[in-house]
Amino acid sequence: SQQGEEDPQALSIQEGENATMNCSYKTSINNLQWYRQNSGRGLVHLILIRSNEREKHSGRLRVTLDTSKKSSSLLITASRAADTASYFCATVPNSGYSTLTFGKGTMLLVSP
Amino acid sequence: DAGVTQSPTHLIKTRGQHVTLRCSPISGHKSVSWYQQVLGQGPQFIFQYYEKEERGRGNFPDRFSARQFPNYSSELNVNALLLGDSALYLCASSLDWNTEAFFGQGTRLTVV
């Protein structure tokens, strides 16, 4: 079953704008990971945020985590056409097993 | 350093046939997981192996099986293929259960 639910399902912006994607989940987690996928190929790991962290940065990416609301957001600043892809959040439970549970993803289109 | 490698990249099989997909994890990674991704959905967890032992199994029928070898590479086997098994099969490796999971480019399986 899918635990993460990304919002919006699709997002269309212009180059240079910021893109924000949200993710909600249902159960307690050890960590949450964000991935990018281009055209149905492999998933590229973007960032991991642990349950005791509230915010993390990596280059143009900023991820926040609110465990009380069971939600996370991914902000891409100064977007580029090359950022066009599907973005997924995935949660790892506290079970001791690295089973990622994915949402359905957000399709981001960045127009030049 | 090589990433996660999967073979083959594409495969076409007939209903009822059997298929074996292969995965080599990143050097030093002892955890390997398999995921199925159908069009328009996020990946669904199939199996996780750690130190050659099965540590988790998703909601898939017994036609799906897997194993991990002493060198930590892994195989996913699917028997009695159905049209609904057509999907992108992804392999992920991680250092430990709660660390970043890195994915291969996937095997695109088409069942006709």
Side-chain angles (χ1 to χ4, degrees):
Chain A
S1 63
Q2 315 248 203
Q3 158 150 259
E5 290 289 336
E6 288 90 343
D7 170 58
Q9 288 187 329
L11 181 60
S12 182
I13 60 174
Q14 299 290 122
E15 262 191 331
E17 293 181 338
N18 294 342
T20 300
M21 288 160 267
N22 302 296
C23 166
S24 60
Y25 57 92
K26 297 173 185 172
T27 61
S28 65
I29 62 171
N30 176 275
N31 66 71
L32 184 146
Q33 303 182 38
W34 282 91
Y35 290 87
R36 184 184 76 231
Q37 186 176 41
N38 292 84
S39 302
R41 298 300 291 167
L43 294 148
V44 175
H45 189 272
L46 297 176
I47 202 161
L48 179 154
I49 186 165
R50 299 198 179 277
S51 60
N52 60 352
E53 297 175 310
R54 291 297 164 258
E55 190 171 310
K56 214 163 178 181
H57 297 254
S58 177
R60 294 184 296 113
L61 306 180
R62 174 179 167 254
V63 167
T64 62
L65 179 65
D66 186 336
T67 52
S68 66
K69 295 181 179 177
K70 291 186 168 59
S71 66
S72 173
S73 68
L74 170 67
L75 168 68
I76 303 174
T77 59
S79 63
R80 306 165 181 169
D83 294 328
T84 294
S86 290
Y87 291 81
F88 294 91
C89 70
T91 55
V92 174
N94 269 317
S95 62
Y97 303 129
S98 59
T99 56
L100 291 163
T101 303
F102 286 84
K104 294 183 180 180
T106 293
M107 288 183 59
L108 174 66
L109 174 63
V110 183
S111 302
Chain B
D1 214 3
V4 179
T5 57
Q6 292 186 243
S7 63
T9 54
H10 294 83
L11 204 51
I12 299 175
K13 289 285 192 179
T14 304
R15 273 179 299 177
Q17 285 189 316
H18 160 271
V19 69
T20 297
L21 310 181
R22 296 178 174 83
C23 172
S24 292
I26 291 171
S27 178
H29 285 195
K30 298 179 180 179
S31 174
V32 172
S33 300
W34 287 94
Y35 294 81
Q36 180 197 64
Q37 186 180 24
V38 298
L39 200 61
Q41 299 290 318
Q44 294 275 338
F45 169 71
I46 310 175
F47 284 108
Q48 190 220 347
Y49 277 79
Y50 184 82
E51 282 284 15
K52 292 150 280 183
E53 289 187 4
E54 183 182 306
R55 297 294 294 272
R57 183 185 182 114
N59 189 23
F60 281 81
D62 291 344
R63 299 184 296 106
F64 288 76
S65 64
R67 55 181 175 166
Q68 187 176 33
F69 297 99
N71 65 354
Y72 301 107
S73 67
S74 178
E75 281 183 357
L76 175 70
N77 295 283
V78 187
N79 291 324
L81 285 166
L82 304 174
L83 295 179
D85 295 331
S86 296
L88 181 68
Y89 288 85
L90 295 160
C91 173
S93 79
S94 58
L95 198 59
D96 207 336
W97 72 274
N98 62 347
T99 58
E100 290 85 349
F102 297 96
F103 284 79
Q105 285 299 299
T107 293
R108 174 74 62 187
L109 172 65
T110 303
V111 182
V112 297

